[in-house]
Structures are given as C-alpha cells and as structure tokens.
Amino acid sequence: MLISLSLVLISWMFTEAIAPVTVSTTESTITWKAAKVTGEHYGKVKLSDAKMDYANGKITGGSFEMDMTSITVEDITDANSNKRLTDHLKSDDFFSVEKFNKSSFKIKEAKSSNGKDYQITGDLTIKGITNPVTFPAKVEVVGGKITATAKITFDRTKFDIKYRSGSYFENLADKLIYDEVSLDVKLVANS
C-alpha cells in the first residue's frame, strides 16, 4: 500500500512538472525587423498558438505558432505604401502566405543555470522549411506571470526567401535586402 501510494504521488509530481503553462496569445507579441541598404522595415505577426513547459522554476520546453496572414508593417504610415509592402511580404517573393499561412518554433533544448538567463535551441519552420536556431532568452516571474523574451535572428535565404538577396543576385546596389531577419518574441504565461 505504501509503495503504491508513493508511485501514485511520484507519477502525479512528474505529470505536474511537465504540464504546459497557459500562454496568452493576446498579451504575447512578435515583432519582425528586416533591413536593406537604404533603411529598415518592421511590424508585427500574431501568435495563433503557444505552449510553454515550465517546471521547478525553469522553462523545459515549448513551442509557438505564428499566423502569417496577420503580418503587418508598422514603420510606413502612408496607407497605400503600407498595403503594397504588406501584400509583397505575403507574396511568393517572401512568405508565400497563401501556401504557408503558419510558421512555427519548437524548443529542443533550454539551458539555464539560474532560471532567468537561457540559451535556447530549437527548430524554426517557415514556408514548410525547418532549420535549427540558437539564441539567448530571458525569463522573469512576477506575481504568477511568466514573461519570456528573446531575439531570434535567422538567415531568410535558408527558408527560400531570396528576393533581392546579395547571396543570390549581383548588382543590386541600393535595392539589396540583407539576409538577416530578427524576431523579437515576448511570451506571457500564467503559472
């Protein structure tokens, strides 16, 4: 009886430890930024789903999914210019949103010595193509709210986004768009 009760307690503790916490898709944000020779552009993309595994004061896993149909441009105030760039980002030159309306990230490893500063490694999937990425992240816990922030930087050409890339085209001059894109990710969860 005592062994049986101990096994039930251990089993309960283990399932509690790996249960995902609820990530708020409305409080969480993803901001994208890309640069070209003549400047930069930035905007938002909404989360359609997110999970965070949090056990013993540390992130142990998780994932998030971006709704690529929601991509916005925030640095252009002229409505026509804004729409033109937004539509271009959704086109096959960039994210092929009609064919690939979701992008995602899944944690493979979360290293931390203090539960606040992390080195995250995982799989980023854009346009159906998956590549590994590693980046630093910070986690803050205040009043039962877990806030994880990170900057994910990736090479867009590895996801078949080659439009005006100097790695693939010559003589672009001031039309060149740099290959590096960054995502500022903020995930807010309730523990």
Side-chain angles (χ1 to χ4, degrees), residues 4-187:
S4 172
L5 184 58
S6 295
L7 288 174
V8 168
L9 184 58
I10 289 168
S11 172
W12 175 81
M13 286 172 29
F14 183 71
T15 42
E16 284 298 303
I18 61 168
V21 292
T22 304
V23 176
S24 168
T25 55
T26 54
E27 290 179 83
S28 301
T29 59
I30 298 179
T31 303
W32 64 267
K33 186 184 285 186
K36 55 187 181 174
V37 173
T38 58
E40 66 181 23
H41 292 295
Y42 60 89
K44 301 263 192 233
V45 63
K46 290 181 181 175
L47 281 171
S48 53
D49 190 31
K51 294 173 183 58
M52 187 186 307
D53 298 331
Y54 193 77
N56 302 319
K58 289 187 179 176
I59 290 177
T60 59
S63 62
F64 63 82
E65 185 178 78
M66 296 172 278
D67 176 3
M68 298 308 292
T69 66
S70 74
I71 196 166
T72 63
V73 175
E74 295 193 341
D75 62 289
I76 299 176
T77 54
D78 177 70
N80 289 332
S81 297
N82 186 300
K83 181 180 182 338
R84 194 168 36 256
L85 180 55
T86 301
D87 289 347
H88 196 195
L89 290 173
K90 292 179 180 182
S91 79
D92 289 340
D93 282 342
F94 290 97
F95 295 104
S96 302
V97 170
E98 272 191 38
K99 293 179 220 153
F100 304 101
N101 61 3
K102 303 284 188 209
S103 293
S104 63
F105 174 75
K106 182 171 178 47
I107 293 174
K108 294 291 186 187
E109 184 177 48
K111 291 182 186 176
S112 178
S113 60
N114 60 11
K116 294 179 184 177
D117 302 302
Y118 286 82
Q119 189 73 8
I120 304 284
T121 299
D123 289 335
L124 180 62
T125 302
I126 298 171
K127 292 177 71 170
I129 300 166
T130 302
N131 283 293
V133 291
T134 299
F135 53 89
K138 290 204 173 290
V139 174
E140 187 177 317
V141 181
V142 177
K145 253 190 193 179
I146 304 163
T147 303
T149 56
K151 179 179 280 218
I152 302 172
T153 303
F154 64 93
D155 178 343
R156 67 187 176 97
T157 65
K158 291 183 176 180
F159 299 91
D160 195 31
I161 304 170
K162 298 173 184 168
Y163 183 78
R164 292 191 184 165
S165 166
S167 301
Y168 290 87
F169 302 98
E170 294 179 10
N171 305 317
L172 290 169
D174 65 351
K175 302 288 187 200
L176 176 101
I177 300 171
Y178 298 114
D179 294 342
E180 193 173 88
V181 176
S182 66
L183 300 174
D184 286 320
V185 179
K186 177 182 172 187
L187 298 180

